[in-house]
Amino acid sequence: MKTVFLVKRFYTNKDLIEERFGRLFHLPTLLASRGHECSVLALDYETDRGLDRVIENVRFQSLPSRTPLQMASAWRKVRAAAGSGTDAVFSSGDSYIGYLGLRLAKRLAAKAVFDLYDDYASFGTNRIPMMKSLLRTAASSSDLLCCASQPILEKYRQYQENTLLLPNGVDTAVFRQSDRVSARQETGIGNNVTVIGYFGSIHKLRGIDDLLAAVAHLRADGLDCRLLLAGRDYDEVDLDHPWIDYRGMVSQEEIVALINSCDVVTVPYKDCLLYT
């Protein structure tokens, strides 16, 4: 099969190409390893630098899309790159990307696969007029929906009966367990303190305010603990406390050492966002 992936280059604050990050990197490379022809067209809203690279037998093209002119140019390049003979268009990253993928698939007489690695209805872009309609159209008119978790699948099954549960995995070549003492030596964390970790977007939508309150309660009850954080700070909560160790945006390799330094790692997402 020949499959074209239409995605975002930067998602969950990571670069799918340079950092070889997440399902949008591993799905095409896995298919390519099994003999399928795959190419990835990645819309870039962060930089103005184009990129064209072959990695693990997959061609990755980064298309700057920060301005209306760049977006128009990117769409022309998408149509040119996804030529005849395409069997499927796999789109992922947001509601409008699913809709663009659907349009591209119809233009090429190919199958349209819409991937929901999260509930795009919860994204900030969903406040833009017509975005909800684009999401419903992409979900209902595509040939297949791939959903990262059972709750997402159950929600979107009302629009599309052809659904597939495609959960996220873990790259065990990167994320692996190590000795806590050596990990704390690497990260500069002492061995005489209880460390609670959270690694992800730092804003209230992800429950960071609840996590800070919980750790403050533990400390008030006499537990000598520290909160270890890494990820993008949206400036919605006060991180200026002596018991908060905020490392900023770090690489996946650094995240591994931070995780192994913790006594417990938390996922404090609000109930409405607990999809994975």
Side-chain angles (χ1 to χ4, degrees), residues 136 139-140 145 151-163:
R136 288 194 298 268
S140 60
L145 294 185
I152 295 178
L153 186 148
E154 295 298 335
K155 176 177 179 178
Y156 284 89
R157 185 173 276 165
Q158 62 179 309
Y159 303 114
Q160 175 60 257
E161 64 178 13
N162 294 322
T163 58

Side-chain angles (χ1 to χ4, degrees), residues 68-84:
L69 285 177
Q70 287 179 336
M71 292 176 66
S73 175
W75 182 239
R76 288 194 297 268
K77 291 177 181 178
V78 165
R79 291 188 298 180
S84 61

Side-chain angles (χ1 to χ4, degrees), residues 13 71 87 102 136 224 250:
N13 300 316
M71 292 176 66
D87 297 293
L102 175 64
R136 288 194 298 268
D224 181 16
V250 302

Side-chain angles (χ1 to χ4, degrees), residues 74-220:
W75 182 239
R76 288 194 297 268
K77 291 177 181 178
V78 165
R79 291 188 298 180
S84 61
T86 297
D87 297 293
V89 175
F90 183 104
S91 55
S92 184
D94 211 329
S95 306
Y96 65 93
I97 297 180
Y99 179 76
L100 291 175
L102 175 64
R103 284 186 55 188
L104 183 62
K106 288 183 176 181
R107 179 186 181 90
L108 301 173
K111 296 295 185 181
V113 181
F114 185 26
D115 174 64
L116 294 104
Y117 67 71
D118 204 336
D119 184 359
Y120 301 144
S122 68
F123 284 16
T125 52
N126 204 50
R127 295 192 293 267
I128 299 174
M130 297 298 295
M131 196 64 69
K132 295 178 181 178
S133 177
L134 296 183
L135 177 57
R136 288 194 298 268
T137 300
S140 60
S141 299
S142 293
D143 296 287
L144 176 67
L145 294 185
C146 296
C147 303
S149 69
Q150 191 66 37
I152 295 178
L153 186 148
E154 295 298 335
K155 176 177 179 178
Y156 284 89
R157 185 173 276 165
Q158 62 179 309
Y159 303 114
Q160 175 60 257
E161 64 178 13
N162 294 322
T163 58
L164 174 67
L165 181 62
L166 192 63
N168 289 319
V170 176
D171 186 351
T172 54
V174 177
F175 290 90
R176 55 197 179 278
Q177 187 174 5
S178 67
D179 177 69
R180 185 181 300 162
V181 173
S182 60
R184 290 193 176 191
Q185 288 176 344
E186 180 180 344
T187 56
I189 298 173
N191 292 316
N192 58 346
V193 63
T194 299
V195 178
I196 300 168
Y198 166 68
F199 311 103
S201 296
I202 300 174
H203 56 66
K204 292 181 179 179
L205 194 63
R206 297 295 187 184
I208 189 65
D209 51 338
D210 295 332
L211 178 59
L212 264 64
V215 175
H217 279 301
L218 290 174
R219 290 180 57 82

